[in-house]
Amino acid sequence: MEALINFWKNDPTVGENIVVWEKEPARNADRVPFPPDMDGRLVSAIKKLGIDGLYLHQLRAWEAVQAKKHLVIATGTASGKTLCYNLPVLDSVIKSGLSTALYLFPTRALAADQKNQLDLLIKNIDHTVIPSAVYDGDTSQSNRKEIRQKTRLLLSNPDMLHIGILPHHTRWNDFLRNLRFVIIDEVHTYRGVFGSHVANVIRRLKRVAGFYGSSPLFIMTSATIANPAEHASRLVDEAVTVIDQDGSPRGTRNFLIYNPPLVDKKLGLRRNAGAEAVRLASDLLHYRIQTIIFGQSRRTVEILLMSLRTQQAGSGRILAGYRSGYLPQERRQVEQGLRSGDTDLVVATNALELGVDIGSMDAVVLVGYPGTIASTRQQAGRAGRRSGSSLAILIASANPLDQYLVKHPNYLFGNSPEKALINADNLLILLNHLKCACFELPLMAGDRYGSVDPSLLEDILQILVEEGLLHFSGGRYSWLADQYPAAQVSLRSISAAPFLIQTYQEGKSVTIGEVDAESAAWMTHPEAVYLHAGEMYRVLKLDFDKGIVELEAVNVDYFTEAVKKVTIQKIDILRQESVPGGMIFYGEILVTSQVVGYRMIDWQNHQVLGERPLEMPPSQLQTMAYWLALDSTTVDRLREMDAWRNDTLQYGVNWKSQRELALQRDRYTCQVCGAAERDIPHHVHHIKPFRTFSSPIEANDIGNLITLCPACHHKVELAVRMKSGLSGLGYVIHNLSSLFLMCDSSDMEYNVDPQSSLADGKPTVVLFERIAGGIGLAESLFDKHQTLIEESIHLVQECHCIDGCPSCVGPAGENGIGGKQETLALLSFLIGERIADE
Amino acid sequence: MNESLREKLKSLGVQLGASGIKPGKPKNTGKKIEQIIDGNDIQTPFGNVFVAISDYPPSYQHGKVRFDRCVRLKWLAAWGKTPGLEQNRLEEIVFLDTETSGLAGGAGTFAFMAGVGSFTNTGFQVRQFFLRDPSQELPFLAGLLSYLHPFKTVVTFNGKSFDIPLMNNRYILSRLGTPFDNMEHIDLLHLARRLWRNRLEKRALGDLEREILNFRRTQEEVPGWLVPQYYVDYLKSGDAQPLEGVFYHNAVDILSLAGLFLFTAELLEEPFSASDIHSLDLAAIAQLYQELGDLEGAVQLYEKSIAQGLPHSFFLKTLHTYGHLHRKRGEFEAAIRVWERAANEGMVDSCIELAKYYEHTCRDHLTAVSWAEKALTILPNVESSQDRITRDELIHRICRLRGKIQKQESRS
């Protein structure tokens, strides 16, 4: 490792591009002896695994449990969090013989992995048999009865708890009567709408456990988020202690930000981040440094894998890919390969972020910024052995967000990661879970349900009575309907089952992977070039009814990119109101996305070789939205505003000739108004801004150029500018909305349109709910409009950035002017007074 | 406050019925349960529970079953693997049938009526515990618990998967402890399947009541699938009139259960002398006897059933199974006779058994191969995957036999 670091430092082609080098010094383990109250048999068992003491944070966890405090352990990855909960649990089971514990994991893979770890520990405990079992949708019917009756340690997930265990809790009465612990792993994944559902499942669990006389202790773990104690506390409705001082040993950790070198200084164009990753990877492999490369999309992972395989052919190095869509057994194999050290390098999506134990890597490469500080820390955290140096490199892409980080690395280091937020009292979610709760145990008048306001609770119960689901008498709400309410509630909003991806091998169809229904249309459309584990295929057929994608192996020199069209249509306006600067609306919309064609793009030079149309079924989302439209007065006044600085950018060596070609193709006619060129020459405009490409050739591709007369060009650029302001506005409102609504940023999506059909062609910002039908988030935004605008102004004004940054309006726009000014201008109209930009 | 909450929920897409339908406070126009059903309140430590009691004289006849029969329970106990039953006096047996709020299962389903029947020294008594209101479940369960205490065996129809687990749930939820852990359990659904699977297509209690017991219900009857709805309506409206049919339905269920119990007990004890037993039933009982170890009895029953005449496909199957019985008892000649009869009538499996016997026991390969070839000709042309496997095995067998024959010939 040291050798590689030196090599890079001294290599001019690498060393110069490293813009940031943060070193976290090595730290020794904060080791402490085993606590005296830990059962001797357990201590011996741990010692047999080669562990002869605890880390400080593991001791703190132990002490908190002995003091009967609920806790969340928020130390980093691979810090030995598992022992923090397994030790107190096993100790209790050994001592009492009757204690039981429930473990909840967000995925089945994690549960399976944890079972193995648990078994390892239990095996070494002398003279004790502790039955443990995984209980989830895959558990066979014949095993279920025995597990219910015998097991002490139950490993499951929130979905199974919700639909399989709680509604049949009488079958678990022995288990629940002795329930001492509930372990919730990776609580940061329970955020937004999903987290709100899980919080209610926990409320129901506590109710049912209480019925059997149990009041279990919650032990939780979390990745790095800004608010672990607050979030865990909301999730389980209890005061929670946080343990975040990591006592495990660390070698020196190096964090690098690498900016691909300029290929053209004047134009500011850089080399492709993926290509740089491949180049750095070859060095890492040469020095035999076990590495994970994180690509930020499935496609990136495949392309990187293919390039690496070509580069490393014959070198004897073992490479593998890892992403959703691979079969579970393949993923297990890769995990095993990493653990054992047999695999030298894995290219993965964030599917490898979640805690499955793969040991620690020497190096991690992030190709592009993952989008949140929390994800960055999770991915980078995969590197870091107990001793010796480790390396995490973030390679910046041409994306403005990445380039912002290059210029302002403190954003990454100085800021705390994002917050996890939930709202367990969301009306719709609450209603559904109350039904389940009443099914499980009747509610008595005056009973509390979590921390829900008692009069709201009573009102909801009353409505359920009126609907015939409950019967109220003798102070008791009894479930009356012949229904199984848990079956009507899904904790996760994933609709359909995944599509199977198949090829023919020796005359039979073999499933090689899967793709989720949503992605199938654009990832595996007919004639798409599909990459799987570095192998190239073409899609022969996409069968929506059967959910099957048929592939044939091919070897071509291009890849495909789907062309998606997204339209938003208004269905119904339920509420509208005049506000300064325009109008706000709340109503129902239809978001249609459809793949209308695909482009074939050359591997090597990224040129568009051709485009073909496709007939694919649209996917539709009918949901609730809040939108804000500017009125014409505002638009006029914005138009009058000055300061359209136009950089005289140069557009590369082939610009002149391409420009000529475009003018000729368009016959010197404006493509918008049809005006022919007369005295003043027409302009040629880049449809997708120049800066977003990584080479002038791509940017100047004739398909990206359009001839416009000066007036229309001005309009178009105004539209761009308007869009820039609108985008900034949308970005900041979207940012704030998660905070106001206590949801996750992925629960809402925003869209801007300078000429929106939602508001008769006016410039509009719309925020819509990702869950079909909505759950009340959009309407809350409508109600909070005034506050939203006020807070937006505060946020943008107080932000120290000059032109815009990820924390306020998004990173600077194409011309370098930035959306900040535009956004502030818009905001000033929306608040009805002039505001200064500090 | 409530109205705006309703509106809010509707705007979130929740389907709600028309507001303004107030929950039914029992109207005074509806009849109370006491006015409809002849019953009393019985005291329990937790309050009162409404119980209706009907007594039937010893001469009561339910369909074609007389309730004054004396039955031995040896065979029933053997089949049910409930050894205690054989020694039970009839009075120690309780017949149970519940009416519930629905079929969804889980902690949210409850029983609102528990009908229990038992033989007394004055005949047969049906006792129906009724849940006036879900909030009074404790006295309901307590009353039932105390009444069930002295019984040793409980008889149900589908109770193993439905009634007993449901009642156990309610007892756990009420923290009263269940009465059923100390009882043996006979679930006649499973016996009915054993006995009448071939003869009757549908074997719900109502079907058996009609086909086996020859009993017809009156117009009072409320079909089972409507029962939960009647109870829900009663709770909302306070009018107990419609429940009359539910009480009738439940009571007849109990009587039919008891009738079926007596009928099957006697059927299993005395299948030889009775003259009106259908041949398919005899065959089924024969198989049961065979499984329970009375091979001699099984042989007699098979003979009787064959003599009486069976529908063709069952005839072949029965013959074939009978052949196996003989083989088990070491009666090879009898087995051959039976199998030959079946084989000649077109039973493939019997041909195969004969081929096996002649090959391995007699070493008569010529006869063996002729039986195997005959089997091949009988196999249907329209092949199921099972037929295909059989065909392959037969071809294999024939090849092997021919090989052995050749070897023998070349030696001699």
Side-chain angles (χ1 to χ4, degrees):
Chain A
M1 174 61 76
E2 293 302 330
L4 172 72
I5 291 179
N6 279 329
F7 172 66
W8 277 350
K9 268 195 175 136
N10 297 322
D11 181 340
T13 63
V14 176
E16 284 180 355
N17 303 324
I18 300 176
V19 287
V20 173
W21 195 310
E22 286 279 312
K23 246 191 163 118
E24 219 182 280
R27 67 161 185 254
N28 288 326
D30 244 327
R31 266 217 192 282
V32 290
F34 291 107
D37 47 350
M38 190 180 286
D39 193 288
R41 286 167 284 182
L42 184 58
V43 176
S44 319
I46 307 172
K47 284 187 173 162
K48 282 191 205 153
L49 291 174
I51 301 171
D52 51 11
L54 293 183
Y55 298 130
L56 189 58
H57 62 282
Q58 291 168 334
L59 178 67
R60 294 266 174 269
W62 170 272
E63 287 167 352
V65 171
Q66 302 312 312
K68 305 233 186 301
K69 293 199 193 141
H70 304 282
L71 67 145
V72 61
I73 302 144
T75 54
T77 17
S79 58
K81 281 188 273 198
T82 311
L83 278 183
C84 288
Y85 51 76
N86 276 338
L87 290 181
V89 168
L90 289 173
D91 184 80
S92 173
V93 175
I94 293 174
K95 284 189 177 131
S96 87
L98 289 172
S99 300
T100 64
L102 173 65
Y103 292 71
L104 295 173
F105 300 100
T107 65
R108 291 184 201 179
L110 257 178
D113 186 58
Q114 288 284 320
K115 171 89 168 63
N116 289 336
Q117 293 200 30
L118 202 53
D119 284 344
L120 207 58
L121 253 181
I122 293 178
K123 208 170 54 168
N124 287 316
I125 304 178
D126 295 326
H127 314 303
T128 328
V129 173
I130 303 178
S132 67
V134 170
Y135 191 88
D136 59 29
D138 287 338
T139 311
S140 72
Q141 288 295 341
S142 45
N143 287 338
R144 286 188 191 196
K145 186 159 183 196
E146 189 170 342
I147 293 176
R148 280 198 293 263
Q149 286 170 342
K150 297 232 185 85
T151 202
R152 301 260 128 237
L153 306 176
L154 192 72
L155 290 82
S156 186
N157 55 66
D159 314 74
M160 191 62 179
L161 181 61
H162 155 71
I163 202 170
I165 299 178
L166 286 174
H168 294 278
H169 62 86
T170 50
R171 299 195 206 163
W172 294 89
N173 61 339
D174 273 329
F175 181 85
L176 290 168
R177 203 185 312 276
N178 296 299
L179 187 64
R180 296 277 168 276
F181 300 101
V182 176
I183 314 295
I184 311 182
D185 198 28
E186 314 273 13
V187 293
H188 62 284
T189 57
Y190 303 126
R191 66 210 297 168
V193 171
F194 177 48
S196 308
H197 276 291
V198 175
N200 274 282
V201 175
I202 301 291
R203 278 170 169 171
R204 284 158 53 198
L205 171 64
K206 286 167 74 176
R207 258 192 106 219
V208 167
F211 175 79
Y212 294 100
S214 300
S215 162
L217 202 65
F218 287 92
I219 308 180
M220 297 169 272
T221 70
S222 172
T224 29
I225 48 175
N227 59 341
E230 183 190 69
H231 176 63
S233 192
R234 273 198 204 108
L235 195 65
V236 302
D237 250 335
E238 301 276 356
V240 171
T241 312
V242 67
I243 296 176
D244 53 7
Q245 302 278 48
D246 192 339
S248 60
R250 277 275 173 270
T252 317
R253 284 172 124 172
N254 297 282
F255 188 89
L256 277 57
I257 300 184
Y258 179 101
N259 206 3
L262 291 164
V263 285
D264 190 323
K265 265 210 163 77
K266 277 185 287 182
L267 308 177
L269 291 173
R270 298 181 176 275
R271 264 223 285 265
N272 178 278
E276 290 302 284
V278 171
R279 185 263 142 98
L280 291 176
S282 76
D283 290 341
L284 286 161
L285 284 168
H286 176 73
Y287 280 85
R288 289 208 154 267
I289 294 175
Q290 203 183 25
T291 304
I292 298 179
I293 301 186
F294 280 103
Q296 305 310 334
S297 74
R298 286 167 282 187
R299 173 202 287 293
T300 314
V301 166
E302 291 294 343
I303 293 178
L304 285 171
L305 192 58
M306 276 192 71
S307 310
L308 279 167
R309 284 243 165 92
T310 317
Q311 187 206 71
Q312 292 289 319
S315 70
R317 301 289 191 266
I318 312 282
L319 310 172
Y322 189 102
R323 61 169 175 87
S324 71
Y326 287 3
L327 297 173
Q329 54 263 42
E330 288 173 335
R331 291 169 64 167
R332 298 295 90 76
Q333 270 179 338
V334 174
E335 288 157 19
Q336 180 54 31
L338 284 174
R339 260 195 297 259
S340 65
D342 289 335
T343 305
D344 295 297
L345 185 143
V346 170
V347 188
T349 58
N350 61 5
L352 201 53
E353 222 180 80
L354 255 191
V356 177
D357 185 15
I358 51 170
S360 279
M361 299 294 110
D362 292 315
V364 165
V365 179
L366 279 66
V367 181
Y369 174 61
T372 63
I373 296 179
S375 274
T376 308
R377 292 224 190 142
Q378 276 287 88
Q379 290 181 8
R382 283 297 198 184
R385 299 217 185 259
R386 299 281 156 89
S387 60
S389 303
S390 71
L391 192 64
I393 311 175
L394 169 58
I395 302 182
S397 71
N399 188 309
L401 196 51
D402 292 31
Q403 289 303 313
Y404 177 84
L405 288 177
V406 166
K407 296 196 194 79
H408 305 92
N410 259 331
Y411 182 82
L412 210 48
F413 300 115
N415 271 336
S416 58
E418 297 71 18
K419 280 191 177 188
L421 299 168
I422 55 169
N423 179 14
D425 291 343
N426 173 284
L427 202 51
L428 202 57
I429 297 179
L430 190 58
L431 179 75
N432 280 324
H433 285 279
L434 263 173
K435 284 199 227 166
C436 299
C438 288
F439 180 91
E440 284 148 15
L441 284 173
L443 244 96
M444 306 299 287
D447 271 356
R448 298 293 306 274
Y449 175 77
S451 51
V452 175
D453 175 68
S455 61
L456 175 63
L457 180 63
E458 200 184 310
D459 285 343
I460 296 180
L461 290 172
Q462 184 60 24
I463 291 186
L464 291 176
V465 170
E466 284 167 19
E467 291 302 305
L469 294 170
L470 296 179
H471 178 76
F472 182 61
S473 63
R476 188 202 209 215
Y477 293 92
S478 317
W479 182 264
L480 202 54
D482 187 12
Q483 272 177 39
Y484 192 78
Q488 298 163 359
V489 187
S490 164
L491 304 190
R492 306 178 202 240
S493 315
I494 306 170
S495 34
F499 281 41
L500 296 180
I501 301 180
Q502 299 182 335
T503 60
Y504 271 102
Q505 279 177 20
E506 290 153 29
K508 281 197 284 193
S509 331
V510 173
T511 300
I512 60 166
E514 47 180 52
V515 62
D516 57 284
E518 247 194 276
S519 304
W522 56 266
M523 251 185 98
T524 54
H525 59 79
E527 297 165 45
V529 169
Y530 174 75
L531 304 169
H532 193 95
E535 299 290 318
M536 212 185 241
Y537 301 88
R538 178 166 43 214
V539 176
L540 287 172
K541 185 169 165 203
L542 173 58
D543 191 330
F544 279 94
D545 295 322
K546 292 203 199 122
I548 294 184
V549 178
E550 270 177 40
L551 302 175
E552 65 174 352
V554 291
N555 198 343
V556 295
D557 55 4
Y558 64 90
F559 62 92
T560 56
E561 202 172 70
V563 177
K564 262 202 281 198
K565 200 174 71 161
V566 175
T567 47
I568 300 186
Q569 290 160 279
K570 169 177 61 180
I571 296 181
D572 205 7
I573 294 180
L574 295 176
R575 294 170 63 183
Q576 62 186 53
E577 223 173 85
S578 273
V579 293
M583 204 135 187
I584 55 172
F585 301 84
Y586 164 65
E588 206 175 351
I589 60 166
L590 183 66
V591 182
T592 311
S593 42
Q594 190 177 23
V595 171
V596 293
Y598 68 96
R599 280 194 212 105
M600 298 177 315
I601 302 176
D602 188 295
W603 258 122
Q604 301 301 338
N605 57 29
H606 290 242
Q607 254 196 324
V608 177
L609 299 171
E611 195 170 319
R612 303 249 170 88
L614 280 174
E615 290 247 351
M616 299 278 285
S619 104
Q620 300 193 310
L621 173 66
Q622 191 165 329
T623 187
M624 306 311 287
Y626 145 82
W627 63 100
L628 159 63
L630 304 176
D631 58 30
S632 32
T633 327
T634 313
V635 175
D636 288 337
R637 284 162 69 185
L638 275 170
R639 194 172 280 145
E640 286 160 25
M641 277 174 78
D642 189 37
W644 185 252
R645 277 172 282 143
N646 230 338
D647 277 333
T648 43
L649 282 172
Q650 291 212 42
Y651 291 122
V653 282
N654 71 340
W655 170 237
K656 260 202 158 141
S657 48
Q658 287 298 99
R659 192 176 168 278
E660 226 11 75
L661 275 175
L663 287 167
Q664 282 170 12
R665 177 200 65 190
D666 298 336
R667 292 172 222 225
Y668 294 85
T669 310
C670 173
Q671 296 300 294
V672 170
C673 68
E677 191 180 64
R678 277 198 281 270
D679 321 309
I680 314 163
H682 277 353
H683 301 183
V684 171
H685 171 79
H686 289 87
I687 297 175
K688 248 176 95 177
F690 186 81
R691 275 272 171 75
T692 62
F693 293 91
S694 50
S695 80
I697 301 204
E698 283 178 61
N700 294 336
D701 185 281
I702 195 90
N704 194 40
L705 299 178
I706 184 171
T707 303
L708 298 172
C709 69
C712 289
H713 194 199
H714 183 74
K715 277 202 200 118
V716 163
E717 291 194 320
L718 175 65
V720 169
R721 204 172 174 228
M722 174 73 71
K723 190 157 182 177
S724 166
L726 283 176
S727 291
L729 184 61
Y731 188 98
V732 63
I733 294 184
H734 181 238
N735 255 358
L736 280 175
S737 62
S738 327
L739 250 146
F740 276 70
L741 304 172
M742 299 294 266
C743 68
D744 195 52
S745 53
S746 61
D747 293 325
M748 301 273 305
E749 208 173 297
Y750 77 97
N751 191 285
V752 303
D753 193 342
Q755 289 183 303
S756 173
S757 63
L758 290 176
D760 301 321
K762 305 261 191 345
T764 305
V765 173
V766 61
L767 279 98
F768 60 89
E769 301 192 44
R770 294 277 255 112
I771 297 186
I775 57 167
L777 302 176
E779 192 166 19
S780 291
L781 287 181
F782 181 91
D783 290 327
K784 294 184 163 69
H785 171 82
Q786 181 67 12
T787 319
L788 267 177
I789 300 296
E790 285 169 5
E791 289 302 318
S792 300
I793 294 175
H794 286 150
L795 183 69
V796 177
Q797 279 184 323
E798 286 164 6
C799 195
H800 296 301
C801 69
I802 301 175
D803 294 330
C805 79
S807 292
C808 59
V809 302
E814 191 216 348
N815 286 351
I817 302 174
K820 194 170 186 187
Q821 289 191 2
E822 272 79 354
T823 310
L824 273 175
L826 272 180
L827 283 168
S828 69
F829 286 113
L830 291 170
I831 199 77
E833 55 195 55
R834 285 218 62 86
I835 43 177
D837 170 15
E838 279 158 30
Chain B
M1 180 54 170
N2 226 351
E3 275 312 303
S4 70
L5 183 58
R6 263 188 175 271
E7 288 311 311
K8 185 105 188 116
L9 287 173
K10 275 199 187 152
S11 80
L12 286 171
V14 180
Q15 307 280 20
L16 293 176
S19 64
I21 297 182
K22 294 293 175 214
K25 285 209 178 334
K27 302 191 179 75
N28 289 329
T29 52
K31 298 231 173 93
K32 294 241 158 50
I33 189 73
E34 293 84 358
Q35 296 167 278
I36 305 297
I37 302 288
D38 187 15
N40 288 312
D41 272 357
I42 293 194
Q43 276 187 331
T44 78
F46 303 98
N48 292 342
V49 57
F50 182 81
V51 184
I53 302 181
S54 334
D55 285 296
Y56 298 81
S59 58
Y60 174 69
Q61 182 152 339
H62 192 74
K64 70 183 195 194
V65 177
R66 289 178 57 101
F67 269 34
D68 62 355
R69 276 188 182 154
C70 252
V71 280
R72 287 186 57 221
L73 302 171
K74 176 176 147 221
W75 280 103
L76 209 47
W79 165 78
K81 298 191 182 25
T82 50
L85 177 63
E86 189 180 348
Q87 307 307 326
N88 284 161
R89 291 174 292 116
L90 215 48
E91 292 81 16
E92 292 173 312
I93 301 172
V94 67
F95 302 87
L96 172 75
D97 185 65
T98 60
E99 308 300 333
T100 65
S101 62
L103 299 172
T109 309
F110 62 93
F112 68 83
M113 183 181 298
V116 285
S118 58
F119 287 95
T120 64
N121 48 13
T122 51
F124 187 81
Q125 182 179 88
V126 172
R127 196 175 272 241
Q128 293 169 299
F129 291 80
F130 174 70
L131 190 64
R132 267 207 191 87
D133 184 279
S135 62
Q136 295 176 12
E137 199 181 14
L138 216 48
F140 169 79
L141 292 173
L144 181 66
L145 176 64
S146 135
Y147 181 73
L148 286 176
H149 187 70
F151 292 101
K152 303 255 172 57
T153 301
V154 60
V155 179
T156 67
F157 197 84
N158 196 24
K160 282 227 160 113
S161 12
F162 189 67
D163 305 69
I164 302 295
L166 181 94
M167 293 309 297
N168 283 339
N169 265 357
R170 303 320 296 176
Y171 277 109
I172 292 176
L173 287 169
S174 63
R175 305 187 210 269
L176 281 177
T178 175
F180 299 110
D181 282 347
N182 294 329
M183 290 191 206
E184 288 186 332
H185 185 180
I186 293 274
D187 185 337
L188 290 178
L189 173 84
H190 301 285
L191 184 59
R193 192 181 294 146
R194 277 307 299 264
L195 293 175
W196 297 302
R197 179 174 34 207
N198 293 327
R199 180 150 77 89
L200 297 176
E201 200 186 304
K202 293 195 293 175
R203 294 175 300 276
L205 185 58
D207 302 310
L208 298 176
E209 191 182 86
R210 230 180 13 255
E211 303 290 330
I212 306 291
L213 303 179
N214 265 354
F215 181 85
R216 294 279 176 286
R217 298 201 181 200
T218 69
Q219 288 225 339
E220 265 186 281
E221 165 72 353
V222 169
W225 59 272
L226 267 181
V227 165
Q229 189 57 48
Y230 273 45
Y231 184 68
V232 169
D233 290 343
Y234 150 76
L235 282 182
K236 291 203 182 124
S237 68
D239 182 13
Q241 180 74 56
L243 290 179
E244 199 171 6
V246 175
F247 273 81
Y248 174 79
H249 169 90
N250 179 258
V252 178
D253 276 351
I254 303 282
L255 292 168
S256 292
L257 191 56
L260 196 63
F261 179 82
L262 293 173
F263 181 83
T264 51
E266 183 161 327
L267 186 66
L268 292 182
E269 293 290 329
E270 284 296 312
F272 309 99
S273 42
S275 52
D276 59 347
I277 306 183
H278 196 288
S279 55
L280 278 171
D281 294 354
L282 286 168
I285 302 173
Q287 232 178 312
L288 192 62
Y289 264 58
Q290 181 178 342
E291 248 167 66
L292 292 175
D294 183 351
L295 302 183
E296 175 62 46
V299 167
Q300 284 183 40
L301 288 166
Y302 275 120
E303 287 293 337
K304 189 169 178 197
S305 135
I306 290 166
Q308 232 171 271
L310 290 160
H312 187 73
S313 59
F314 290 117
F315 172 56
L316 293 182
K317 276 197 217 127
T318 307
L319 273 180
H320 185 75
T321 316
Y322 184 30
H324 273 295
L325 174 57
H326 278 307
R327 218 258 301 263
K328 191 167 179 184
R329 300 186 80 202
E331 297 159 355
F332 289 110
E333 262 144 65
I336 297 294
R337 253 200 323 265
V338 168
W339 278 334
E340 277 180 6
R341 187 170 170 193
N344 285 325
E345 301 253 7
M347 180 70 174
V348 171
D349 289 335
S350 300
C351 296
I352 297 178
E353 286 302 324
L354 287 165
K356 280 193 212 163
Y357 173 75
Y358 280 108
E359 175 180 354
H360 300 293
T361 313
C362 300
R363 305 216 180 271
D364 177 355
H365 297 131
L366 281 166
T367 315
V369 78
S370 77
W371 279 117
E373 281 167 353
K374 183 176 176 112
L376 209 52
T377 60
I378 304 175
L379 260 187
N381 277 325
V382 179
E383 295 183 350
S384 66
S385 56
Q386 183 56 45
D387 288 342
R388 224 175 292 148
I389 294 174
T390 312
R391 176 177 293 269
D392 289 341
E393 284 175 355
L394 273 172
I395 293 176
H396 194 77
R397 185 181 298 276
I398 293 172
C399 278
R400 187 182 68 236
L401 284 167
R402 293 227 180 99
K404 283 189 181 177
I405 293 173
Q406 267 193 334
K407 253 196 234 153
Q408 272 184 335
E409 284 175 356
S410 62
R411 254 188 251 135
S412 57

